[in-house]
Amino acid sequence: MSPSSETKRGIPPGILIIRKIRGKDFSLSTYRYVVLFVTFVAYACYHASRKPSSIVKSVLDPDPEKPLNGLKPWPIGEFFVEAEFGSNGKYRVKERGWYPFNGKDGTSKLGGIDVAFLACYSMGMFVAGHLGDSLDLRLFLTIGMVGSGFFVGLFGMGYFWNVHAFGFFLVMQMVAGLFQATGWPSVVAVIGNWFGKRKRGLIMGVWNAHTSVGNISGSLLAASVLEYGWGWCFIVPGAFIALGGLMVYLYLPAYPEDVLPPSNDEAVANDEEALIVKESMEGETEIAPQRGSVSRRSVGLLEACMIPGVIPFALCLFFSKLVAYTFLYWLPFYLSQTEIGGKHVSVKSAGNLSTLFDVGGIIGGILAGYISDKLNARAITAASFTYAAIPSMLLYRTYGNVSLTVNIVLMMVAGLFVNGPYALITTAVSADLGTHESLRGDSRALATVTAIIDGTGSVGAALGPLLTGFLSTKGWNAVFVMLTIGALIAGLLLTRMVITEISEKTSKPVPVSSDEQHFGGPASQPLLSDQR
């Protein structure tokens, strides 16, 4: 194959260079490792660039007093420190924040920026998903990452340019939210292209840890440069995601056929996980026509919504993310306002303690993916975790104040059940539906389906923290009632799909035609099981 034809097929330039140096191509398994690593780093960069706003809130709108203990800020200093009360050991903050965030309405303005970011993120998701399926995913993801880094950095430049106009910071966050919307549909689509359904849940459960890795990395980066001025907290993560975009451009193959020449057809045919391999009912394998990443027909939003299972899972994720993001944005504040073992922890320690919720979430995502693979039942697994989240949240609210140890254990258990279905739906389920057999292998719907599901969920992610701001004034019991109702509705939305999966597993297997095959059931049923 000539270089010109290779370039036309979309082979990343970095891979082309390595091929020439090695003198031979990589194996299919090696390409998969590359895809996993590059997409993991890419989305970790996205989350790292979202963390600065939470780190600098206390600098833009500071408390009038802070402890004088000589400790560096989290995550560098000590983890769990008891809060100090009274005037002893405290001093006035020399710099009284940054106008316009240090006034009486400073907190509401900071909250408004967060809501504006999430609103633009969720709205942009629908457009970004369709564009991702219509354009080259590698180039689309690169533009999204570089654009995100640019506008995140511009927000930080407001410090050096001495900008005090609220509109400037609001616009920067809104545009950054639009560019951030390119990330999730693109990386899920790439993973879905490279991995079949049999082990997709487990693989994506482990891979989904990039969210927590990105959050931790973003906190470390922002905290490490905070003493030099809050503007650096945005510029450094912005440069970080821009460099990640360069890595994506150089080394990420969006589709197997973009890097695997026709001579590798036999190797691909022997790999049961390759999505471009289709197994017929007679046990024969046939290779889908090799198409470049820019030659497939994209699927419209309406057509993607008609895929069985897309709407129920999208609505389920709306309420699942409502619950998950309420914990994400409000758990540190809740911990700082609640007695734990008869004591209050400092604001810094509350932030440290809240990260253990994410640790439970990592375990939950892996466990949900593994179970759904073993049972070949995505809906049953997601609904079971969602229903289990209800008693876990109530137990945390009731007994979380007994002691620090009990709080940690119950918090991690709650994180496991809250984030488990959230991670499963946004990864494996989205990829399953995006490769639905009704598409017949000749269209691109992975990014579009992912955008519909996660975009709908992101609306709930914005609504949950917003409602919590009002309900928390009436007491935290009202907030946990809202979370319980949200989890219950999320589970109920999957009832029909759960019943279908149970019926399929309890009934005797019957022969089906090739036209009826789709996720282990008839084409009209929204069952998400793999009959390989």
Side-chain angles (χ1 to χ4, degrees), residues 37-52:
F37 176 77
V38 174
T39 52
F40 186 97
V41 173
Y43 207 69
C45 290
Y46 272 99
H47 264 266
S49 66
R50 299 174 191 174
K51 288 298 294 182

Side-chain angles (χ1 to χ4, degrees), residues 272-457:
E272 64 178 359
E273 296 298 329
L275 284 180
I276 57 176
V277 179
K278 294 183 178 180
E279 296 182 351
S280 65
M281 288 300 294
E282 294 77 20
E284 298 175 352
T285 59
E286 49 185 57
I287 308 299
Q290 295 288 328
R291 300 174 181 266
S293 63
V294 295
S295 62
R296 302 186 183 202
R297 179 180 63 87
S298 64
V299 172
L301 287 174
L302 183 60
E303 186 179 355
C305 287
M306 293 299 102
I307 297 175
V310 169
I311 297 300
F313 273 112
L315 295 176
C316 175
L317 189 63
F318 175 95
F319 291 98
S320 294
K321 291 190 76 169
L322 182 151
V323 176
Y325 270 67
T326 297
F327 277 98
L328 176 65
Y329 280 95
W330 284 94
L331 183 57
F333 184 77
Y334 170 76
L335 290 168
S336 66
Q337 298 293 314
T338 305
E339 282 193 0
I340 302 176
K343 301 178 181 178
H344 285 81
V345 296
S346 67
V347 175
K348 175 175 70 71
S349 296
N352 294 324
L353 191 61
S354 67
T355 59
L356 298 176
F357 182 86
D358 289 323
V359 174
I362 294 175
I363 299 173
I366 296 173
L367 189 61
Y370 176 78
I371 293 174
S372 69
D373 282 343
K374 285 295 183 181
L375 298 179
N376 290 330
R378 308 291 197 211
I380 292 175
T381 304
S384 299
F385 271 70
T386 300
Y387 287 131
I390 296 175
S392 69
M393 289 188 296
L394 294 178
L395 286 172
Y396 178 67
R397 170 58 182 163
T398 305
Y399 299 104
N401 61 347
V402 172
S403 69
L404 186 61
T405 301
V406 173
N407 188 285
I408 290 174
V409 172
L410 293 179
M411 188 194 323
M412 292 182 67
V413 172
L416 186 152
F417 289 116
V418 168
N419 284 345
Y422 159 42
L424 179 66
I425 294 172
T426 55
T427 55
V429 169
S430 296
D432 286 352
L433 293 172
T435 53
H436 195 280
E437 190 177 15
S438 64
L439 301 172
R440 304 195 181 279
D442 193 32
S443 56
R444 302 169 65 175
L446 272 167
T448 302
V449 168
T450 302
I452 292 172
I453 293 177
D454 200 51
T456 304

Side-chain angles (χ1 to χ4, degrees), residues 462-475:
L463 181 62
L466 183 63
L467 291 176
T468 302
F470 294 102
L471 293 176
S472 60
T473 61
K474 302 181 181 297

Side-chain angles (χ1 to χ4, degrees), residues 60-77:
L60 299 177
D61 184 23
D63 292 330
E65 297 180 337
K66 62 167 58 173
L68 181 61
N69 52 21
L71 294 178
K72 293 184 178 180
W74 177 84
I76 300 174

